[in-house]
Amino acid sequence: MNRIPLAVPHMSGKEMAYIEQAFAENWIAPVGPNVDLFEEKVRDYTKAAFATATNSGTAAIHLALRLLGVTQGDTVFCPSFTFAASANPIQYQGAEAVFIDSELDTWNMSPIALERALEDAKQQGQLPKAIIVVHIYGQPAKMTEILALAKSFQVAVIEDAAESLGSLYEGVQTGTIGDIGIYSFNGNKIITTSGGGMLVSANEAWTKEAKFLSEQAKETAPYYQHEKIGYNYRLSNVSAGIGCGQMEVLQERVNQKREIFAQYEAGFAKYADTFSNFPRITYQNEIAGTFSNRWLSTIRVDGIHPLQLKEALDASGIEGRLLWKPLHLQPVFRNHRFFAEDLNSQISNAQRLFESGLCLPSATQMTPAEQHYVIQAIAKFLIQAGESM
């Protein structure tokens, strides 16, 4: 059997019509009808009022920070349990990322830790310019609590929905709940444009300014006139064509991802029912009122370091990946402040997640036979580990 990957792009065949049109019309540059159509398709699906396509999700976060006036000396709150791309743009602006712990229900930003951080910031006389909320692995965060805190302290919310396109919170698409939302279409996301992103908002002026900044901030003039610093962040018409085709199968991909997760859950339950010493497996909770796209199927295992399981899977030709290493533990952010949820614990929730969990193969091309092989390989390792515990 060939090596089973964690997640890879899944083309539908619908993309080629848009790409061929781009070549036929010579629309290869970062403008063109596919870009406009891709923005329209994302708006229609998510019900976002306005959208601006970018060449990455990271670029969209950076533009969101610019729109909110984040600059040198400001602070921005960000979850620690996330990919570095959520926090790096804060540093681009010369601001300071302040990291917030996770809660163990959804693995997302803890409202308890967030409130503590906001109270501390208020006492220090420096409230953050923004709160970046990340919907980790596709599971929506507790937005009601987070938005209530943001409103109380009058802080804007950026939704990093890079992993959660197609996920719902109280029936509303993630990315459209906060002040500004971002999506990613990187190669491993639920749909892809190879590399790409999108900034969405109900504020039309913000999305227009984001587009302006993404095109090097060229003023309307008969010559090159620049009054602001801009960026080369616009999505190409060819990449947008891929996105147009991918949007046509997005809901199918969401359904496939959820079915993959369901099969893991059912498969491991059978082993747990058969072997009394089978280590306990737990999952990221899909709490009431939420619908997760299950971008990556993830597990936590009691008493087993996930690196051991990952190495066993590697030996069996299966790609697994450890959960996000908390940013406050990363060398590059070692001097940044961090607010834990549980002040009585020596280990943060974010660290606890990192040290107990693994992402499992979740590619939508994975066959039932391949997934069965993965489940068997994990079960074999856990049975042996359970016998020695």
Side-chain angles (χ1 to χ4, degrees):
M1 183 176 290
N2 294 328
R3 183 170 175 80
I4 299 174
L6 183 76
V8 290
H10 190 175
M11 295 295 102
S12 66
K14 301 176 184 292
E15 300 83 6
M16 283 307 300
Y18 296 99
I19 295 170
E20 288 172 353
Q21 182 179 3
F23 273 81
E25 297 176 355
N26 205 31
W27 279 107
I28 309 301
V31 291
N34 282 343
V35 177
D36 297 337
L37 181 59
F38 186 39
E39 291 172 342
E40 180 183 329
K41 283 176 175 286
V42 170
R43 289 197 308 270
D44 288 346
Y45 182 86
T46 64
K47 308 306 179 189
F50 306 100
T52 294
T54 60
N55 58 16
S56 71
T58 310
I61 295 174
H62 188 196
L63 291 172
L65 295 172
R66 274 287 305 267
L67 295 172
L68 295 175
V70 174
T71 189
Q72 185 83 29
D74 289 332
T75 59
V76 175
F77 289 0
C78 177
S80 181
F81 186 66
T82 185
F83 183 48
S86 299
N88 285 340
I90 301 169
Q91 306 306 119
Y92 301 166
Q93 288 301 103
E96 178 194 357
V98 175
F99 296 114
I100 311 299
D101 202 2
S102 300
E103 47 92 16
L104 296 179
D105 228 4
T106 66
W107 306 2
N108 286 305
M109 179 180 279
S110 162
I112 294 171
L114 175 61
E115 183 172 17
R116 184 177 297 122
L118 287 167
E119 290 286 1
D120 181 81
K122 184 177 181 180
Q123 290 177 10
Q124 300 298 323
Q126 188 183 25
L127 285 168
K129 272 287 183 69
I131 299 166
I132 297 177
V133 178
V134 186
H135 303 297
I136 291 294
Y137 301 123
Q139 170 58 40
K142 293 179 177 175
M143 292 303 293
T144 298
E145 292 93 327
I146 290 169
L147 288 177
L149 287 169
K151 182 178 180 181
S152 176
F153 287 87
Q154 297 184 313
V155 181
V157 172
I158 297 170
E159 267 187 281
D160 182 347
E163 302 170 7
S164 66
L165 180 61
S167 298
L168 304 173
Y169 183 85
E170 301 290 353
V172 179
Q173 289 283 338
T174 57
T176 68
I177 305 166
D179 296 286
I180 301 174
I182 76 99
Y183 301 112
S184 170
F185 305 103
N186 194 27
N188 65 357
K189 295 302 187 291
I190 195 161
I191 63 168
T192 184
T193 58
S194 176
M198 190 79 69
L199 182 150
V200 298
S201 178
N203 187 320
E204 184 178 14
W206 279 349
T207 53
K208 285 184 176 180
E209 179 71 2
K211 180 179 179 180
F212 172 71
L213 294 173
S214 75
E215 295 177 340
Q216 299 287 19
K218 292 179 288 186
E219 301 287 345
T220 302
Y223 43 80
Y224 288 104
Q225 175 81 357
H226 302 274
E227 298 171 11
K228 296 179 179 179
I229 297 296
Y231 312 95
N232 186 16
Y233 280 173
R234 197 69 166 139
L235 186 66
S236 83
N237 196 56
V238 176
S239 294
I242 299 173
C244 289
Q246 289 272 284
M247 285 298 297
E248 295 184 24
V249 295
L250 171 55
Q251 198 56 49
E252 179 182 343
R253 296 290 180 262
V254 171
N255 295 340
Q256 290 170 319
K257 291 282 191 179
R258 288 180 61 84
E259 179 60 22
I260 288 168
F261 174 82
Q263 290 304 312
Y264 278 128
E265 199 172 28
F268 295 135
K270 290 179 182 178
Y271 282 99
D273 290 342
T274 304
F275 297 91
S276 60
N277 63 340
F278 195 74
R280 189 171 73 102
I281 292 177
T282 54
Y283 306 91
Q284 188 179 22
N285 286 335
E286 187 177 54
I287 60 173
T290 69
F291 174 90
S292 172
N293 67 6
R294 296 295 186 188
W295 168 58
L296 290 181
S297 290
T298 56
I299 59 172
R300 294 181 67 200
V301 185
D302 283 356
I304 307 295
H305 196 286
L307 187 56
Q308 295 175 291
L309 177 54
K310 179 184 182 302
E311 290 171 347
L313 292 180
D314 283 339
S316 299
I318 300 166
E319 182 183 5
R321 181 179 296 168
L322 300 184
L323 302 185
W324 300 123
K325 180 178 179 180
L327 296 183
H328 76 280
L329 300 180
Q330 297 283 359
V332 71
F333 294 119
R334 62 183 177 273
N335 295 322
H336 288 240
R337 287 175 289 167
F338 170 71
F339 287 83
E341 180 181 84
D342 185 356
L343 297 180
N344 296 317
S345 175
Q346 294 183 337
I347 300 177
S348 68
N349 290 341
Q351 184 174 350
R352 187 173 287 112
L353 290 167
F354 168 60
E355 293 178 351
S356 64
L358 195 73
C359 302
L360 307 182
S362 305
T364 47
Q365 305 96 317
M366 183 168 55
T367 67
E370 287 173 329
Q371 188 171 12
H372 181 65
Y373 175 73
V374 175
I375 293 170
Q376 282 187 314
I378 293 172
K380 179 181 177 181
F381 173 84
L382 293 181
I383 291 167
Q384 292 173 344
E387 291 173 348
S388 62
M389 289 173 65

